[in-house]
Amino acid sequence: MSLTVLMNAGPWLSVPPPGYGGIENVIATLVPELRRLGVRVVLASVGTSTLPVEERLSVFDDGQFANLQRPYNQVCGVAQAHLNGVVRALRERTDIDLVHDHVEAVGLATLAAMGPDGPPALHTLHWDLAKHPALYGHLDGGDRVRVNGVSASQLARAPRALREHSVGHVHLATPLAVDADRAPQPEKGDHAVILGRINPGKGQDVGARLAQRVGFPLVLAGPVGPYHRPEDLAAAGDEARQNPDVRFFLDEVAPHVDGERVRWVGTVAGAERDDLVATARVALFPLRWEEPGGTAVVESLALGTPVVATARGCLPELIEHGRTGLLTTDAEELGELVLAASLLEPAECRQVAASRFTPSMMATQYVQLYERVRQLAGAPRIPAAA
């Protein structure tokens, strides 16, 4: 097809990210498959992004993630500066058929405020929709701006105004799911793993406490605020406590981290991440929030690791209880389920991932949404490539 999409990744991390980076990893997974389908991609990101695309647009040379949780009055211009660059590009050029936006709140508000001057836009909702009620509860994107969720449960909890702009949901995908059912399964160890940014919603403190109580090894893998390694956090000193995630880690998680039963290893990526998860007995998700998308969940399945989790958010959509994982509404039961999950077959997890969570499936669904958004906006139909 002949379709040019401006993919707005935002100013926070490069694409692909150097380690942790949920949204940026989603974009890095999606874009190659879109290009394989004939979509031209203009990537709006930071200058250090290396993802192959037709064109790049950058306002910042490097990612601004370290600023993300600083006081609002110090950093409120970061996302706005990036969006200003995007809007300027959209007004200067006529070849952008659609904007696919991934920037929380600011991206949606800016694109809606452009009115009829902008191209059709699809804003993917990657987060908890209980936030930003004044925006989501009163959204008016007209016929031109639409949204999609990353799970059905996420959209079901959305404010009415947001649901009225929705064109559906697309589950997240992982390159690890490609031929996952044919991949060799490494020998399983005894450890459980919690993969993801450490914060109250992910519940690492619950997992660490249960590991100590029930008696299973637990590895916490993910950044604490802007700090990707334990030595980075240690070197930051007392000023690090200004970050709320750092305070949560130091006050609620660190007392259970003894370096033996419970370890925090910081951000892991690539082969190190894959080996850590593939050899784990389970991937543990002791959630306190309604998980919207679950990238780490589908990655765990693709690596042949059953999931043990609180049944919140998208988890019941992604996990087949008793086949690919064990779910509960009682967080105190999670420790016992970690032990019970050893009866589940890693091959079943890999088979489900290969059939449901491949990048090609995600890209095909997004191309369908792009055409739907353009139809609703009254844009001319994009012809398929010969």
Side-chain angles (χ1 to χ4, degrees):
M1 65 177 60
S2 176
L3 180 69
T4 298
V5 172
L6 189 147
M7 188 71 62
N8 187 21
W12 307 117
L13 292 166
S14 61
V15 182
Y20 171 81
I23 292 172
E24 292 79 12
N25 273 318
V26 172
I27 294 169
T29 298
L30 173 62
V31 165
E33 291 299 318
L34 289 177
R35 296 179 73 222
R36 187 181 63 81
L37 294 173
V39 177
R40 296 184 70 255
V41 175
V42 178
L43 179 65
S45 180
V46 294
T48 49
S49 291
T50 59
L51 184 71
V53 290
E54 278 65 35
E55 296 180 57
R56 292 189 181 89
L57 167 65
S58 300
V59 171
F60 295 96
D61 293 334
D62 204 351
Q64 302 297 301
F65 184 79
N67 292 321
L68 194 55
Q69 291 184 320
R70 291 174 57 199
Y72 176 79
N73 64 346
Q74 297 179 19
V75 299
C76 62
V78 173
Q80 285 85 345
H82 174 85
L83 263 297
N84 184 52
V86 169
V87 170
R88 191 164 57 246
L90 293 176
R91 286 177 171 165
E92 291 173 353
R93 44 194 305 173
T94 60
D95 62 325
I96 303 298
D97 297 304
L98 180 134
V99 179
H100 188 173
D101 179 71
H102 302 265
V103 179
E104 182 174 3
V106 179
L108 178 60
T110 301
L111 292 168
M114 288 187 71
D117 292 339
L122 176 65
H123 174 82
T124 296
L125 300 156
H126 291 276
W127 32 81
D128 178 6
L129 302 185
K131 297 194 293 183
H132 318 306
L135 172 62
Y136 293 155
H138 303 279
L139 176 65
D140 182 6
D143 294 331
R144 189 181 55 83
V145 177
R146 302 289 169 170
V147 303
N148 77 277
V150 288
S151 66
S153 63
Q154 178 199 36
L155 287 177
R157 295 186 301 275
R160 178 177 177 180
L162 205 57
R163 293 198 307 271
E164 289 176 347
H165 284 77
S166 170
V167 288
H169 73 275
V170 177
H171 285 141
L172 301 176
T174 172
L176 297 169
V178 178
D179 295 328
D181 52 338
R182 303 178 186 178
Q185 177 65 51
E187 184 177 349
K188 288 291 187 182
D190 291 332
H191 67 280
V193 61
I194 301 179
L195 192 69
R197 182 166 63 90
I198 294 178
N199 65 30
K202 300 290 186 181
Q204 284 90 349
D205 59 320
V206 175
R209 177 173 53 80
L210 291 175
Q212 294 288 4
R213 190 191 79 189
V214 177
F216 58 86
L218 176 65
V219 180
L220 307 176
V224 175
Y227 305 104
H228 289 273
R229 299 178 300 173
E231 53 266 35
D232 295 336
L233 178 57
D238 291 341
E239 70 177 42
R241 290 188 68 92
Q242 297 178 19
N243 183 290
D245 287 351
V246 171
R247 289 198 299 273
F248 166 72
F249 175 76
L250 295 177
D251 295 342
E252 306 296 336
V253 182
H256 305 291
V257 176
D258 57 10
E260 296 181 4
R261 178 83 71 191
V262 180
R263 296 185 295 133
W264 173 48
V265 297
T267 298
V268 293
E272 181 184 9
R273 185 274 315 270
D274 296 352
D275 182 68
L276 175 66
V277 176
T279 58
R281 71 160 81 191
V282 299
L284 179 59
F285 295 88
L287 302 173
R288 281 199 184 91
W289 76 320
E290 306 302 331
E291 178 71 45
T295 300
V297 175
V298 299
E299 289 174 343
S300 299
L301 297 182
L303 291 165
T305 299
V307 167
V308 169
T310 44
R312 300 190 66 166
C314 66
L315 269 294
E317 293 177 48
L318 304 181
I319 299 303
E320 298 180 38
H321 181 76
R323 182 186 181 194
T324 59
L326 298 173
L327 303 177
T328 179
T329 57
D330 181 1
E332 294 303 312
E333 188 184 8
L334 290 170
E336 286 71 25
L337 293 184
V338 167
L339 305 181
S342 60
L343 300 175
L344 301 180
E345 290 292 336
E348 290 289 304
C349 300
R350 290 180 177 271
Q351 182 180 355
V352 168
S355 65
R356 293 185 61 192
F357 303 122
T358 62
S360 62
M361 294 182 65
M362 179 170 66
T364 298
Q365 292 176 66
Y366 268 115
V367 168
Q368 294 170 351
L369 291 192
Y370 293 165
E371 186 58 39
R372 175 65 175 153
V373 170
R374 287 177 51 78
Q375 289 174 355
L376 291 170
R381 183 174 179 81
I382 297 293

